[in-house]
Amino acid sequence: QIMAKERCAVCGNIPLVQIHNPQEYMLCLDSFMRMVNAGDLTIVYQTCPLDEVIKDGKFYQQKLFHQFKCPACGCIYGMYVDATQGGEIKQNDKVFVPQEY
């Protein structure tokens, strides 16, 4: 278990939560999009663009992963969701590099 990095005033508002259903996911997605648009977060990895998560009423794909970095303090957050099972938002220790897996 890695030690959580100290969170700053900007990213300290990000809820580190379990996501139980598509409605919760859309709420989380919406708040991340607002923070990205405001410059409070940077997208560092994504399986699809934030605005394409839902296309024609369907999920872009079953498993979705978006990772964000706080430019103020460097904390990294991952939001992983499986459309059939839910997901979570948690702090990550580094940016995801697919080649490493």
Side-chain angles (χ1 to χ4, degrees):
Q1 182 63 289
I2 56 162
M3 272 302 288
K5 194 166 185 279
E6 194 64 36
R7 305 186 329 144
C8 74
V10 175
C11 70
N13 299 324
I14 295 171
L16 302 177
V17 294
Q18 294 292 316
I19 297 169
H20 301 98
N21 56 50
Q23 291 81 2
E24 286 182 10
Y25 179 49
M26 297 317 291
L27 286 170
C28 294
L29 202 60
D30 185 58
S31 68
F32 274 124
M33 282 174 84
R34 279 201 307 275
M35 290 183 78
V36 168
N37 292 338
D40 292 336
L41 285 176
T42 308
I43 298 170
V44 290
Y45 182 84
Q46 58 185 359
T47 52
C48 74
L50 286 173
D51 56 1
E52 291 180 18
V53 165
I54 301 279
K55 273 281 202 221
D56 305 319
K58 295 187 188 70
F59 280 102
Y60 180 89
Q61 58 196 39
Q62 183 180 334
K63 295 179 178 174
L64 298 156
F65 180 62
H66 291 85
Q67 206 174 38
F68 308 87
K69 183 173 187 172
C70 175
C73 71
C75 280
I76 298 168
Y77 297 89
M79 177 169 57
Y80 171 77
V81 171
D82 180 321
T84 60
Q85 297 170 3
E88 66 181 334
I89 299 171
K90 64 182 186 181
Q91 222 175 355
N92 298 155
D93 53 350
K94 65 185 183 98
V95 173
F96 176 70
V97 181
Q99 292 77 6
E100 292 179 1
Y101 292 88

